[in-house]
Amino acid sequence: MTRQFFGTDGIRGRTNKGVMTAATAMRVGQAAGRHFLRGDHRHRVVIGKDTRLSGYMMESALVAGFTSVGMDVVMTGPLPTPAIALLTREMRADLGVMISASHNPFEDNGIKLFGPDGFKLSDDDEARIEALLETELELADAADIGRARRIDDARGRYIHAVKRSLPDDVRLDDLTIVVDCAHGAAYEATPSAIWELGAKIITLGVEPNGRNINDGVGSTSLDALKARVIAEGADIGIALDGDADRLIVVDEKGTAVDGDQIMALIGSQWAAQGRLRGGGVVATIMSNLGLERFLDAKGLSLIRTKVGDRYVLEAMKAGGYNVGGEQSGHMILLDHATTGDGTVAALQVLAALVKSGRPASEMLHLFDPVPQLLQNVRFESGDPLAAQAVKDAIAAGESDLGGSGRVVIRKSGTEPLIRVMAEGDDADLVKRVVHSICDAVRGAC
């Protein structure tokens, strides 16, 4: 079945347009609620959100949908996505919902769904819910309509869980940390957790107004964090995105550290401590070849998946791995969370910093990334990748790079774009390969 609503990470779009309307949200609540009405117990859904203006509208619509089919609703207010995953499991809810468009601007919003185990829904569950959206759904009898309530201790529960992820023998008392919360869902929880662990914190992006989420701050906009780290003489800076499931780090010199370096650090540290399961790390096809070489030198493997943290998670669960993530900063540490958690990942980095006694600029740059270039080509219709000229250009690029590089070509899951990436030891060759394939794609369009 062709998906009209669900993408690679729930439902997402421009608010009040397309799929991201209050009417659709209510239908999603009804469909997801009906799908998870299993057994004769009183059913419950946990709903959280980030700080977007449209979050109130989408929350109200979802509450109407869920209660209309007989589900009770627990609302948490603004909390990180991983907090909703955690609370869904801990409160024995049948379903969890996070209202967020992650790192997108405030005009967008989205709906992410979690099952009772705290993991994102499977493709099969999403397909069944999508099918229900097209049907006339059975509503609850008047006496069975669900109740809705807000809870006040959700943030405290999450902070407690986050702090427990730090080793018992580690305190952050000697660190000065700039914490950038992107004016998003973690604007209260993450600074509180890190401060309670002893650090001196300097906050950035903690004044949400409904419209400024991810605006000039956060993991996709690092200039403000880099400048603040240097100005304050901080030991390190951490940047989250709008729903706090993503982490990018800035060292004391103002240099950004991406997800590949963070995975290299956590993977190698956990391996040395005997904590790493599966003998390697799971990442996507976009992770740098330098990470693969670094892990190989440590006797560890790199397992690659399609782009998307849900595919990383599927491979981790299937292969028994407990460390995985994406170059963009999604870090999944299954010992502590069921989905990407930027705060939990940050605490693992901070623990390593404390134990090493070395500056972040030394500890967090474990390998030299191989030159990598990514370009996008927009197309209007058809399938440019099926054109023989494009296939020939890709084959020629792979041949030119030989065993010293890679070519990755894929369609965007959200836009009419062909993404062309190549990497290798020769930067000029990488550039020529990418340009040649992009030219062939444009010709096919």
Side-chain angles (χ1 to χ4, degrees):
M1 181 181 70
T2 301
R3 299 289 189 96
Q4 297 181 28
F5 297 92
F6 286 94
T8 56
D9 195 14
I11 304 169
R12 188 179 300 184
R14 184 58 53 99
T15 307
N16 275 346
K17 294 183 182 296
V19 300
M20 198 46 55
T21 65
T24 299
M26 186 177 75
R27 291 287 293 171
V28 170
Q30 291 173 330
R34 290 300 309 176
H35 180 61
F36 279 92
L37 285 175
R38 304 165 181 172
D40 57 3
H41 62 282
R42 191 69 192 176
H43 293 82
R44 171 188 290 178
V45 56
V46 177
I47 300 180
K49 61 184 179 180
D50 64 22
T51 56
R52 294 164 208 272
L53 181 63
S54 59
Y56 295 95
M57 177 184 75
M58 304 304 289
E59 179 185 58
S60 297
L62 283 162
V63 169
F66 282 114
T67 54
S68 73
V69 296
M71 266 201 167
D72 291 338
V73 176
V74 175
M75 293 171 284
T76 70
L79 272 186
T81 288
I84 303 307
L86 169 77
L87 290 168
T88 300
R89 188 177 72 250
E90 288 201 344
M91 296 183 72
R92 296 183 66 184
D94 300 276
L95 186 64
V97 182
M98 180 64 183
I99 305 167
S100 175
S102 191
H103 58 281
N104 288 25
F106 91 92
E107 294 92 345
D108 294 347
N109 216 329
I111 300 171
K112 300 181 183 182
L113 301 176
F114 295 91
D117 56 2
F119 289 102
K120 290 181 180 178
L121 297 190
S122 66
D123 287 338
D124 182 60
D125 278 324
E126 287 186 349
R128 291 174 183 273
I129 292 170
E130 181 139 341
L132 288 172
L133 287 169
E134 305 298 331
T135 66
E136 188 66 31
L137 292 164
E138 180 183 353
L139 302 182
D141 292 335
D144 297 324
I145 291 172
R147 298 175 181 270
R149 63 186 175 95
R150 293 189 180 274
I151 57 173
D152 298 323
D153 66 341
R155 186 171 71 247
R157 289 189 185 204
Y158 176 64
I159 290 172
H160 179 67
V162 163
K163 289 166 60 180
R164 282 190 306 171
S165 71
L166 198 69
D168 292 337
D169 61 340
V170 175
R171 290 278 300 177
L172 308 179
D173 303 279
D174 297 325
L175 293 182
T176 299
I177 305 166
V178 182
V179 182
D180 180 355
C181 297
H183 297 306
Y187 77 101
E188 291 182 321
T190 298
S192 295
I194 294 175
W195 179 83
E196 289 177 15
L197 289 165
K200 175 186 176 182
I201 65 166
I202 298 147
T203 54
L204 190 64
V206 293
E207 298 175 346
N209 62 17
R211 296 180 176 87
N212 60 358
I213 189 170
N214 301 313
D215 186 7
V217 287
S219 62
T220 55
S221 208
L222 295 171
D223 288 347
L225 178 60
K226 291 177 179 180
R228 195 69 178 274
V229 167
I230 293 172
E232 299 284 353
D235 296 293
I236 196 169
I238 64 173
L240 307 174
D241 64 342
D243 68 335
D245 65 354
R246 182 183 297 201
L247 168 73
I248 296 293
V249 172
V250 170
D251 69 23
E252 83 283 359
K253 296 180 180 179
T255 302
V257 179
D258 68 10
D260 284 348
Q261 296 282 2
I262 296 170
M263 282 187 282
L265 174 70
I266 296 175
S268 60
Q269 293 260 324
W270 283 23
Q273 296 163 10
R275 297 173 57 193
L276 187 70
R277 297 201 304 271
V281 170
V282 180
T284 75
I285 55 175
M286 301 306 291
S287 277
N288 194 274
L289 188 58
L291 171 61
E292 186 172 337
R293 292 173 177 175
F294 170 82
L295 292 173
D296 184 64
K298 297 283 186 181
L300 304 173
S301 57
L302 179 67
I303 294 83
R304 294 185 183 271
T305 73
K306 294 189 293 184
V307 172
D309 63 318
R310 67 183 300 165
Y311 302 114
V312 173
L313 179 59
E314 287 174 2
M316 291 175 69
K317 292 169 69 177
Y321 301 91
N322 59 346
V323 175
E326 295 187 279
Q327 188 183 67
S328 60
H330 285 111
M331 297 291 120
I332 304 175
L333 306 177
L334 285 183
D335 287 3
H336 304 297
T338 56
T339 190
D341 192 323
T343 307
V344 165
L347 290 183
Q348 298 303 309
V349 172
L350 296 175
L353 187 63
V354 168
K355 289 185 174 182
S356 73
R358 296 158 53 202
S361 57
E362 294 181 11
M363 187 196 68
L364 284 166
H365 297 278
L366 296 177
F367 64 88
D368 292 325
V370 170
Q372 187 181 81
L373 181 62
L374 170 67
Q375 290 189 353
N376 298 320
V377 181
R378 187 170 294 275
F379 66 98
E380 297 301 325
S381 61
D383 182 10
L385 298 184
Q388 189 59 47
V390 174
K391 294 179 180 179
D392 291 344
I394 293 171
E398 290 174 336
S399 176
D400 289 343
L401 288 169
S404 66
R406 297 187 304 136
V407 174
V408 178
I409 315 294
R410 67 184 184 91
K411 284 184 178 179
S412 167
T414 58
E415 299 176 86
L417 297 174
I418 302 296
R419 304 194 189 279
V420 179
M421 190 276 281
E423 62 180 355
D425 296 317
D426 185 334
D428 290 335
L429 176 57
V430 166
K431 187 182 298 184
R432 290 197 300 273
V433 167
V434 169
H435 289 171
S436 176
I437 296 173
C438 286
D439 288 343
V441 172
R442 292 189 191 97
C445 292

XYZ file of all heavy atoms in Angstrom, residues 296-372:
563
model
N 37.280 -0.694 12.720
C 37.976 -1.888 12.245
C 39.343 -2.040 12.922
O 39.740 -3.148 13.286
C 38.148 -1.813 10.724
C 38.773 -3.072 10.155
O 38.140 -4.145 10.247
O 39.902 -2.991 9.629
N 40.025 -0.915 13.111
C 41.336 -0.959 13.782
C 41.210 -1.385 15.239
O 42.173 -1.877 15.835
C 42.008 0.416 13.697
N 40.025 -1.199 15.817
C 39.767 -1.613 17.199
C 39.208 -3.036 17.272
O 38.876 -3.522 18.362
C 38.748 -0.668 17.843
C 39.199 0.779 17.956
C 40.168 0.968 19.093
C 40.513 2.432 19.291
N 41.484 2.626 20.389
N 39.084 -3.683 16.124
C 38.512 -5.014 16.091
C 36.997 -5.013 16.177
O 36.390 -6.030 16.526
N 36.391 -3.873 15.835
C 34.942 -3.729 15.902
C 34.374 -3.556 14.499
O 35.064 -3.078 13.600
C 34.565 -2.518 16.771
C 35.123 -2.518 18.192
C 34.826 -1.191 18.877
C 34.541 -3.682 19.001
N 33.136 -3.906 14.333
C 32.507 -3.811 13.019
C 31.568 -2.606 12.959
O 31.108 -2.101 13.983
C 31.725 -5.090 12.708
O 30.749 -5.341 13.709
N 31.288 -2.159 11.734
C 30.287 -1.135 11.487
C 29.224 -1.753 10.595
O 29.501 -2.161 9.470
C 30.893 0.096 10.809
C 29.884 1.217 10.504
C 29.364 1.833 11.797
C 30.499 2.290 9.619
N 28.001 -1.804 11.099
C 26.882 -2.352 10.347
C 26.100 -1.173 9.800
O 25.695 -0.279 10.554
C 25.983 -3.225 11.246
C 26.750 -4.460 11.706
C 24.729 -3.662 10.487
C 27.638 -4.244 12.897
N 25.876 -1.140 8.488
C 25.216 0.011 7.858
C 23.766 -0.339 7.495
O 23.466 -1.462 7.097
C 25.969 0.452 6.603
C 27.362 1.017 6.887
C 27.980 1.542 5.606
N 29.340 2.037 5.789
C 29.648 3.280 6.114
N 28.663 4.158 6.305
N 30.903 3.665 6.256
N 22.903 0.675 7.623
C 21.493 0.512 7.283
C 21.056 1.644 6.355
O 21.820 2.576 6.076
C 20.601 0.574 8.542
O 20.545 1.936 9.018
C 21.139 -0.309 9.641
N 19.811 1.599 5.921
C 19.221 2.731 5.219
C 19.179 3.938 6.142
O 19.259 3.808 7.361
C 17.805 2.389 4.745
C 17.717 1.312 3.701
C 16.303 1.206 3.129
C 15.302 0.727 4.144
N 13.954 0.537 3.545
N 19.025 5.126 5.538
C 18.962 6.351 6.329
C 17.657 6.369 7.134
O 16.584 6.081 6.618
C 19.047 7.594 5.427
C 18.793 8.868 6.216
C 20.411 7.655 4.757
N 17.768 6.711 8.396
C 16.615 6.760 9.293
C 16.899 6.006 10.573
O 17.373 4.859 10.534
N 16.645 6.653 11.721
C 16.981 6.003 12.986
C 16.136 4.752 13.233
O 16.551 3.852 13.954
C 16.845 6.981 14.154
C 15.427 7.485 14.360
O 14.749 7.800 13.378
O 15.010 7.572 15.533
N 14.951 4.660 12.602
C 14.144 3.463 12.797
C 14.833 2.242 12.188
O 14.721 1.120 12.721
C 12.750 3.644 12.197
C 12.718 3.746 10.689
C 11.298 3.989 10.187
N 10.418 2.892 10.581
C 9.102 2.976 10.533
N 8.532 4.101 10.165
N 8.369 1.936 10.866
N 15.566 2.431 11.083
C 16.269 1.316 10.456
C 17.509 0.933 11.264
O 17.869 -0.239 11.346
C 16.634 1.671 9.025
C 15.423 2.021 8.195
C 15.233 3.305 7.692
C 14.438 1.067 7.943
C 14.104 3.638 6.959
C 13.302 1.390 7.207
C 13.141 2.676 6.721
O 12.015 3.004 6.005
N 18.132 1.941 11.859
C 19.242 1.663 12.773
C 18.745 0.812 13.939
O 19.358 -0.199 14.310
C 19.865 2.976 13.284
C 20.898 2.699 14.374
C 20.522 3.739 12.138
N 17.621 1.227 14.508
C 17.071 0.509 15.655
C 16.697 -0.921 15.288
O 16.963 -1.868 16.045
C 15.853 1.250 16.195
C 15.140 0.605 17.389
C 16.095 0.442 18.557
C 13.928 1.439 17.789
N 16.076 -1.110 14.123
C 15.705 -2.464 13.696
C 16.927 -3.370 13.611
O 16.895 -4.526 14.057
C 15.001 -2.401 12.343
C 13.587 -1.847 12.394
C 12.984 -1.662 11.003
O 13.670 -2.011 10.015
O 11.850 -1.160 10.908
N 18.025 -2.844 13.047
C 19.245 -3.645 12.921
C 19.863 -3.921 14.290
O 20.405 -5.009 14.524
C 20.246 -2.925 12.022
N 19.775 -2.953 15.182
C 20.314 -3.151 16.528
C 19.566 -4.264 17.249
O 20.177 -5.151 17.861
C 20.226 -1.842 17.329
C 21.153 -0.749 16.841
S 20.906 0.820 17.721
C 21.521 0.402 19.364
N 18.251 -4.219 17.192
C 17.453 -5.236 17.873
C 17.669 -6.615 17.248
O 17.771 -7.621 17.963
C 15.976 -4.840 17.829
C 15.650 -3.608 18.669
C 14.258 -3.089 18.397
C 13.176 -4.017 18.896
N 11.815 -3.445 18.684
N 17.759 -6.650 15.914
C 17.924 -7.930 15.228
C 19.284 -8.559 15.517
O 19.400 -9.783 15.626
C 17.745 -7.749 13.723
N 20.329 -7.714 15.647
C 21.678 -8.236 15.815
C 22.218 -8.196 17.230
O 23.363 -8.586 17.467
N 21.419 -7.712 18.169
C 21.871 -7.683 19.561
C 22.873 -6.588 19.867
O 23.677 -6.730 20.797
N 22.829 -5.478 19.138
C 23.740 -4.359 19.374
C 23.117 -3.366 20.363
O 21.889 -3.251 20.445
C 24.047 -3.633 18.059
C 24.677 -4.513 17.016
C 23.899 -5.202 16.084
C 26.063 -4.663 16.964
C 24.480 -6.020 15.139
C 26.650 -5.480 16.016
C 25.851 -6.160 15.102
O 26.423 -6.974 14.163
N 23.968 -2.652 21.095
C 23.429 -1.654 22.031
C 23.923 -0.239 21.766
O 23.568 0.682 22.504
C 23.718 -2.045 23.488
C 25.198 -2.186 23.798
O 26.035 -2.251 22.904
N 25.527 -2.246 25.083
N 24.715 -0.030 20.713
C 25.146 1.312 20.322
C 24.883 1.499 18.836
O 25.313 0.690 18.010
C 26.645 1.561 20.619
C 27.081 2.923 20.089
C 26.913 1.478 22.120
N 24.178 2.565 18.502
C 23.921 2.862 17.102
C 23.543 4.320 16.946
O 23.316 5.030 17.933
N 23.493 4.773 15.713
C 23.120 6.169 15.510
C 23.340 6.630 14.092
O 23.587 5.840 13.180
N 23.258 7.937 13.931
C 23.414 8.565 12.632
C 24.431 9.695 12.717
O 24.607 10.322 13.767
C 22.078 9.134 12.149
C 21.016 8.096 11.873
C 19.781 8.699 11.239
O 18.948 9.269 11.970
O 19.660 8.613 10.000
N 25.047 9.970 11.601
C 26.002 11.062 11.507
C 25.372 12.381 11.952
O 26.028 13.248 12.526
C 26.504 11.171 10.068
C 27.646 12.142 9.840
C 28.014 12.210 8.359
O 27.229 12.681 7.538
N 29.199 11.727 8.017
N 24.073 12.532 11.714
C 23.362 13.761 12.055
C 23.153 13.947 13.549
O 22.706 15.009 13.974
C 22.006 13.781 11.360
O 21.225 12.664 11.767
N 23.450 12.937 14.350
C 23.393 13.109 15.792
C 22.393 12.264 16.542
O 22.344 12.315 17.767
N 21.566 11.474 15.851
C 20.702 10.538 16.565
C 21.580 9.460 17.196
O 22.307 8.764 16.494
C 19.698 9.874 15.617
C 18.582 10.760 15.205
N 18.445 11.231 13.924
C 17.548 11.275 15.904
C 17.375 12.000 13.854
N 16.808 12.041 15.035
N 21.521 9.320 18.515
C 22.283 8.304 19.216
C 21.328 7.385 19.945
O 20.540 7.834 20.795
C 23.219 8.958 20.259
C 24.273 9.868 19.684
S 25.508 8.945 18.747
C 25.283 9.709 17.154
N 21.349 6.108 19.610
C 20.487 5.133 20.260
C 21.357 4.237 21.142
O 22.190 3.481 20.637
C 19.726 4.283 19.232
C 18.924 5.178 18.282
C 18.786 3.311 19.943
C 18.234 4.433 17.157
N 21.148 4.334 22.443
C 21.907 3.547 23.412
C 20.899 2.679 24.158
O 20.266 3.114 25.126
C 22.665 4.469 24.373
C 23.563 5.516 23.695
C 24.215 6.428 24.731
C 24.627 4.845 22.828
N 20.741 1.443 23.692
C 19.651 0.602 24.157
C 19.776 0.178 25.609
O 18.800 -0.297 26.190
C 19.513 -0.639 23.262
C 18.873 -0.392 21.892
C 18.733 -1.696 21.124
C 17.510 0.267 22.035
N 20.939 0.359 26.223
C 21.045 0.087 27.651
C 20.242 1.101 28.461
O 19.898 0.844 29.618
C 22.505 0.137 28.109
C 23.302 -1.058 27.633
O 22.742 -1.901 26.909
O 24.501 -1.143 27.974
N 19.983 2.257 27.864
C 19.361 3.346 28.618
C 18.086 3.901 28.010
O 17.352 4.630 28.685
C 20.362 4.498 28.764
C 21.659 4.105 29.384
N 21.764 3.629 30.665
C 22.927 4.095 28.880
C 23.032 3.360 30.941
N 23.756 3.631 29.875
N 17.800 3.648 26.754
C 16.638 4.246 26.100
C 16.198 3.376 24.932
O 16.999 2.619 24.370
C 16.966 5.658 25.612
N 14.927 3.529 24.550
C 14.390 2.749 23.438
C 14.382 3.529 22.131
O 13.980 2.999 21.101
C 12.944 2.319 23.752
O 12.163 3.488 24.047
C 12.898 1.367 24.927
N 14.827 4.761 22.168
C 14.885 5.593 20.973
C 16.063 6.563 21.134
O 16.752 6.557 22.153
C 13.556 6.358 20.779
O 13.553 6.982 19.491
C 13.350 7.402 21.857
N 16.324 7.374 20.124
C 17.412 8.329 20.230
C 17.205 9.281 21.399
O 16.110 9.799 21.595
N 18.257 9.518 22.183
C 18.155 10.411 23.341
C 19.419 11.256 23.409
O 20.486 10.779 23.804
C 17.989 9.595 24.625
C 17.589 10.467 25.813
O 18.081 11.613 25.890
O 16.796 10.012 26.657
N 19.292 12.540 23.022
C 20.450 13.419 23.004
C 21.035 13.661 24.366
O 22.260 13.796 24.517
N 20.206 13.722 25.403
C 20.704 13.990 26.750
C 21.464 12.794 27.301
O 22.548 12.948 27.890
C 19.541 14.356 27.682
O 18.789 15.428 27.105
C 20.060 14.798 29.041
N 20.929 11.611 27.133
C 21.621 10.401 27.586
C 22.959 10.259 26.867
O 23.989 9.939 27.485
C 20.740 9.157 27.363
C 21.556 7.872 27.481
C 19.589 9.139 28.367
N 22.974 10.496 25.557
C 24.234 10.428 24.804
C 25.215 11.476 25.298
O 26.419 11.207 25.425
C 23.960 10.604 23.312
N 24.723 12.676 25.583
C 25.604 13.742 26.087
C 26.249 13.333 27.406
O 27.448 13.597 27.635
C 24.808 15.032 26.264
N 25.493 12.676 28.281
C 26.064 12.263 29.562
C 27.149 11.207 29.386
O 28.121 11.166 30.149
C 24.959 11.744 30.482
C 23.991 12.806 31.017
C 22.985 12.170 31.965
C 24.738 13.936 31.721
N 27.015 10.343 28.374
C 28.081 9.381 28.102
C 29.352 10.090 27.641
O 30.466 9.723 28.030
C 27.628 8.379 27.039
C 26.434 7.541 27.433
C 26.661 6.753 28.714
O 27.669 6.044 28.843
N 25.741 6.866 29.655
N 29.181 11.122 26.822
C 30.330 11.928 26.381
C 30.961 12.643 27.574
O 32.188 12.666 27.727
C 29.895 12.940 25.305
C 31.032 13.910 24.982
C 29.446 12.212 24.043
N 30.140 13.236 28.425
C 30.653 13.973 29.583
C 31.357 13.035 30.564
O 32.381 13.399 31.157
C 29.513 14.710 30.276
C 28.832 15.802 29.443
C 27.635 16.385 30.188
C 29.819 16.896 29.068
N 30.829 11.820 30.722
C 31.492 10.843 31.592
C 32.880 10.507 31.068
O 33.863 10.422 31.834
C 30.645 9.582 31.709
N 32.990 10.321 29.754
C 34.294 10.035 29.160
C 35.247 11.206 29.325
O 36.451 11.028 29.564
C 34.118 9.700 27.678
N 34.718 12.414 29.217
C 35.540 13.611 29.388
C 36.087 13.692 30.802
O 37.279 13.976 31.022
C 34.698 14.855 29.066
C 35.410 16.201 29.024
C 36.452 16.231 27.908
C 34.402 17.336 28.824
N 35.249 13.427 31.792
C 35.676 13.466 33.192
C 36.740 12.414 33.460
O 37.778 12.678 34.089
C 34.464 13.258 34.123
C 34.923 13.002 35.558
C 33.544 14.461 34.079
N 36.485 11.193 32.990
C 37.406 10.098 33.288
C 38.751 10.257 32.583
O 39.789 9.842 33.104
C 36.770 8.759 32.897
C 35.629 8.338 33.819
C 35.121 6.957 33.474
C 34.088 6.482 34.473
N 33.612 5.110 34.195
N 38.753 10.852 31.401
C 39.998 10.982 30.650
C 40.890 12.098 31.185
O 42.117 12.016 31.101
C 39.700 11.244 29.175
O 39.225 12.575 28.988
N 40.270 13.160 31.715
C 41.047 14.307 32.148
C 41.652 15.092 31.002
O 42.450 16.003 31.213
N 41.250 14.761 29.791
C 41.788 15.436 28.595
C 40.773 16.440 28.079
O 39.574 16.327 28.335
C 42.091 14.405 27.511
C 43.170 13.404 27.886
C 43.055 12.140 27.069
N 43.016 12.389 25.629
C 42.517 11.537 24.750
N 41.966 10.388 25.162
N 42.545 11.814 23.460
N 41.224 17.446 27.324
C 40.274 18.395 26.740
C 39.415 17.714 25.679
O 39.816 16.715 25.058
C 41.170 19.474 26.131
C 42.495 18.822 25.920
C 42.635 17.812 27.013
N 38.242 18.271 25.469
C 37.301 17.685 24.506
C 37.878 17.631 23.106
O 37.599 16.707 22.338
C 35.997 18.478 24.513
N 38.721 18.606 22.745
C 39.292 18.643 21.398
C 40.184 17.441 21.128
O 40.343 17.034 19.976
C 40.088 19.938 21.196
O 41.105 20.061 22.173
N 40.782 16.866 22.158
C 41.584 15.658 21.987
C 40.718 14.405 22.059
O 40.840 13.498 21.238
C 42.667 15.583 23.062
C 43.730 16.660 22.966
C 44.783 16.502 24.052
O 44.793 15.441 24.722
O 45.579 17.443 24.241
N 39.830 14.379 23.026
C 39.078 13.159 23.290
C 38.024 12.864 22.227
O 37.715 11.703 21.949
C 38.396 13.289 24.653
C 37.717 12.024 25.126
S 36.580 12.379 26.467
C 35.315 13.322 25.600
N 37.484 13.909 21.592
C 36.350 13.727 20.694
C 36.718 13.676 19.218
O 35.825 13.535 18.381
C 35.332 14.848 20.919
C 34.483 14.692 22.187
C 33.768 15.976 22.514
C 33.480 13.565 22.001
N 37.983 13.784 18.891
C 38.398 13.703 17.485
C 39.262 12.455 17.328
O 40.491 12.507 17.344
C 39.137 14.979 17.069
C 38.260 16.202 17.138
N 37.386 16.555 16.135
C 38.090 17.110 18.114
C 36.734 17.644 16.488
N 37.137 17.997 17.678
N 38.578 11.327 17.201
C 39.250 10.033 17.230
C 39.728 9.572 15.862
O 40.543 8.672 15.769
C 38.308 8.985 17.830
C 37.915 9.237 19.302
C 36.920 8.193 19.772
C 39.150 9.212 20.189
N 39.205 10.160 14.810
C 39.649 9.792 13.465
C 39.494 10.998 12.557
O 38.718 11.914 12.830
C 38.853 8.596 12.917
C 37.387 8.869 12.730
C 36.905 9.411 11.535
C 36.472 8.598 13.741
C 35.561 9.669 11.356
C 35.119 8.855 13.566
C 34.664 9.393 12.369
N 40.256 10.992 11.475
C 40.127 12.037 10.459
C 39.079 11.589 9.448
O 39.254 10.551 8.795
C 41.462 12.278 9.751
C 42.500 12.892 10.671
O 42.115 13.702 11.534
O 43.692 12.558 10.533
N 37.988 12.342 9.310
C 36.968 11.938 8.339
C 37.526 11.908 6.925
O 38.335 12.749 6.534
C 35.895 13.032 8.476
C 36.140 13.659 9.803
C 37.617 13.565 10.039
N 37.108 10.918 6.172
C 37.454 10.849 4.758
C 36.687 11.949 4.021
O 35.528 12.215 4.341
C 37.082 9.452 4.210
C 37.181 9.405 2.698
C 37.957 8.387 4.836
N 37.306 12.631 3.055
C 36.573 13.648 2.295
C 35.253 13.106 1.757
O 35.214 12.051 1.126
C 37.537 13.999 1.158
C 38.893 13.744 1.740
C 38.716 12.545 2.630
N 34.192 13.843 2.024
C 32.846 13.393 1.675
C 32.075 14.573 1.093
O 32.147 15.687 1.607
C 32.148 12.860 2.933
C 30.803 12.209 2.701
C 30.168 11.720 4.004
O 29.580 12.503 4.730
N 30.317 10.424 4.301
